[in-house]
Amino acid sequence: MEYHNWHNVPESNIVFLGNVAYNTTEEQLRKMLELAGPVVDIKLVFDPQTGRAKGYGFCQYPDANIAASAIKNLNDHLVDGRNIKVGYADRKRVQRSFNTDGTTLGSVPGEAVSRSIGSLQVARLVDELGDAERRTLIEQFAQFARANPQEAREELAKNRGLAWALVRAMESEGVVDPGRIAEIKGAGYPQAPVPVPPPEAMAMAAAEAEAMVDETSEIDNVDVLRQLLSLTDEQLAQLPEDHRKQIVELKQQLQGSISVQLHTTLGTITIELYWALAPRTCHNFYQLAKQGYYKNVLFHRVIPDFMIQTGDPTGTGRGGASVYGGKFADEITKELKHTGAGVVSMANSGKDTNGSQFFITLAPTPHLDGKHTVFGRVKTGIKVVQKIGGVETDGNDRPRESVKILRAEAD
């Protein structure tokens, strides 16, 4: 085991990770490191001759403030039975380990994607883009494919990074039938090195995606939704009946009178939703609950004095989808913050990667402000939340005995 002394090392956005178990994966570390904020890249160091892990690695954050938060809050965090050491990285050590200038680990958003890059890395890079950027990528390639079909096929066949970036963008935006995405991915996804997606299927999917992008409309602007609150009963009475019913229901949502009950193995939690400030996120959560999506879903991550997380039907922390068919954008506002226990917020893997997973805070978590969409609060059942937050967990923060949502009910 090689240890690293980070005392007197200048502050930066890259942190050193020490005391890592030899069988610990980068994805396991990512789960822990994302508690401080979005992660740009994680790399473990391996012996070039034997291929064996050296027991340390590095994590690159978007900025030094998040890195400082990681050092303060995550040093000695338990992963795979080891207390991971987290401190500022020595620039020269980064240079020697990855043959870079020491300011990056080598996978910076915006750089050209290597043709040997793994599909999981591609997915992370695309997830860091906004909705508009992902849709532009789809539209531009679709236009290119229509004008130059043979060249488009050849480019997809030789440029694996581009091919998988398009797959991820189409999947995230929900603009292609899931069956088509499954056909493109095949049984081997994800893996590295990246297999080549079938060019024919990709070209067809891109054309479908562009058509669906044109037809997709966003939810009404928040300011327009707020204006509905000012409508009087007299004004509503002048509207056609079907319109009046829709607006009355929407007003109830905006005023917080519609909530969701989570019936768990330890009791019931009632969640009040902030429809006026996070309408798309509330709609997603409300509809998933109404459709029975959260039935028998585990609380797969519990961290005392921090938060409890659930919403993934696979129970792994890597699954789940939104009602929009893929990932959707953040709705972060200055009015909603992680101010104390009982705040309900979306889990994500970076900017604009919301799906079905969410967490409930057990204490103030201001370092998550601006990074996760707050969309509700615990109205009743905070003692149930505290019970779940106090269950015994293993080294990966998973409850040793299953705690789950038995069913969810939407008023």
Side-chain angles (χ1 to χ4, degrees), residues 254-311:
L254 290 171
Q255 290 169 332
S257 58
I258 291 183
S259 57
V260 170
Q261 292 81 43
L262 304 178
H263 300 283
T264 79
T265 48
L266 294 181
T268 298
I269 304 166
T270 301
I271 296 173
E272 177 184 324
L273 302 178
Y274 297 138
W275 290 88
L277 295 171
R280 273 180 67 82
T281 308
C282 289
H283 176 75
N284 175 69
F285 180 70
Y286 179 83
Q287 289 298 325
L288 289 177
K290 193 172 182 179
Q291 295 168 14
Y293 191 85
Y294 293 130
K295 183 176 181 180
N296 292 324
V297 170
L298 293 170
F299 285 87
H300 63 270
R301 183 186 293 178
V302 172
I303 304 178
D305 300 319
F306 181 38
M307 63 88 187
I308 59 177
Q309 185 172 334
T310 182

Side-chain angles (χ1 to χ4, degrees), residues 21-49:
Y22 293 123
N23 60 344
T24 296
T25 66
E26 292 173 353
E27 287 307 307
Q28 286 176 290
L29 291 170
R30 176 178 290 273
K31 290 181 183 179
M32 181 265 287
L33 293 162
E34 284 179 341
L35 295 174
V39 169
V40 174
D41 200 7
I42 299 172
K43 285 189 177 179
L44 292 173
V45 178
F46 297 86
D47 187 298
Q49 268 70 47

Side-chain angles (χ1 to χ4, degrees), residues 196-210:
V196 181
E200 295 285 349
M202 279 293 297
M204 292 174 64
E208 292 175 7
E210 187 188 45

Side-chain angles (χ1 to χ4, degrees), residues 31-38 61 65-66 69-70 73-74 301 303 305-309 330-333 336-340 343-348 350 354 358-374:
K31 290 181 183 179
M32 181 265 287
L33 293 162
E34 284 179 341
L35 295 174
Y61 285 106
N65 289 333
I66 301 177
S69 176
N73 298 302
L74 301 180
R301 183 186 293 178
I303 304 178
D305 300 319
F306 181 38
M307 63 88 187
I308 59 177
Q309 185 172 334
D330 298 326
E331 291 183 300
I332 294 171
T333 67
L336 299 178
K337 297 182 179 181
H338 303 79
T339 53
V343 173
V344 186
S345 186
M346 291 298 291
N348 62 41
N354 301 291
F358 63 96
F359 62 90
I360 304 175
T361 60
L362 298 170
T365 54
H367 62 285
L368 300 182
D369 292 343
K371 304 179 184 72
H372 294 265
T373 298
V374 174

Side-chain angles (χ1 to χ4, degrees), residues 23-299:
N23 60 344
T24 296
T25 66
E26 292 173 353
E27 287 307 307
Q28 286 176 290
L29 291 170
R30 176 178 290 273
K31 290 181 183 179
M32 181 265 287
L33 293 162
E34 284 179 341
L35 295 174
V39 169
V40 174
D41 200 7
I42 299 172
K43 285 189 177 179
L44 292 173
V45 178
F46 297 86
D47 187 298
Q49 268 70 47
T50 66
R52 185 181 179 186
K54 289 191 171 184
Y56 67 92
F58 301 87
C59 171
Q60 180 179 343
Y61 285 106
D63 58 56
N65 289 333
I66 301 177
S69 176
I71 293 169
K72 178 180 178 180
N73 298 302
L74 301 180
N75 185 42
D76 280 332
H77 195 89
L78 196 66
V79 177
D80 257 4
R82 293 284 190 92
N83 293 103
I84 305 300
K85 302 298 180 181
V86 184
Y88 287 117
D90 186 309
R91 182 171 176 175
K92 292 182 180 179
R93 175 68 65 82
V94 176
Q95 287 177 318
R96 291 197 303 270
S97 298
F98 306 115
N99 194 29
T100 70
D101 62 1
T103 62
T104 173
L105 302 185
S107 297
V108 180
E111 290 185 349
V113 178
S114 166
R115 292 183 182 178
S116 63
I117 193 171
S119 52
L120 285 175
Q121 277 185 284
V122 173
R124 289 199 293 268
L125 292 174
V126 173
D127 285 347
E128 290 171 357
L129 300 175
D131 282 352
E133 294 169 301
R134 283 194 289 264
R135 291 183 178 219
T136 298
L137 172 65
I138 296 168
E139 291 168 346
Q140 289 180 345
F141 187 81
Q143 293 169 4
F144 170 68
R146 276 201 308 274
N148 309 279
Q150 186 56 40
E151 291 181 32
R153 293 188 185 93
E154 291 174 357
E155 183 61 22
L156 289 171
K158 67 184 181 182
N159 192 334
R160 298 175 176 182
L162 171 63
W164 282 124
L166 284 164
V167 170
R168 183 64 174 185
M170 290 187 291
E171 182 180 34
S172 296
E173 293 304 302
V175 295
V176 172
D177 182 86
R180 176 75 71 185
I181 293 291
E183 174 189 345
I184 294 171
K185 284 182 175 181
Y189 180 93
Q191 61 187 41
V194 183
V196 181
E200 295 285 349
M202 279 293 297
M204 292 174 64
E208 292 175 7
E210 187 188 45
M212 292 184 71
V213 166
D214 291 339
E215 297 171 1
T216 302
S217 61
E218 294 293 325
I219 196 165
D220 291 342
N221 186 278
V222 171
D223 290 333
V224 175
L225 293 176
R226 283 172 172 164
Q227 291 177 20
L228 292 175
L229 292 173
S230 64
L231 291 176
T232 65
D233 291 339
E234 291 76 15
Q235 290 172 323
L236 288 172
Q238 298 174 22
L239 299 174
E241 183 178 359
D242 56 341
H243 291 175
R244 184 169 65 251
K245 287 181 178 179
Q246 291 175 4
I247 292 176
V248 168
E249 181 180 350
L250 189 53
K251 282 189 69 176
Q252 289 175 336
Q253 294 174 348
L254 290 171
Q255 290 169 332
S257 58
I258 291 183
S259 57
V260 170
Q261 292 81 43
L262 304 178
H263 300 283
T264 79
T265 48
L266 294 181
T268 298
I269 304 166
T270 301
I271 296 173
E272 177 184 324
L273 302 178
Y274 297 138
W275 290 88
L277 295 171
R280 273 180 67 82
T281 308
C282 289
H283 176 75
N284 175 69
F285 180 70
Y286 179 83
Q287 289 298 325
L288 289 177
K290 193 172 182 179
Q291 295 168 14
Y293 191 85
Y294 293 130
K295 183 176 181 180
N296 292 324
V297 170
L298 293 170
F299 285 87

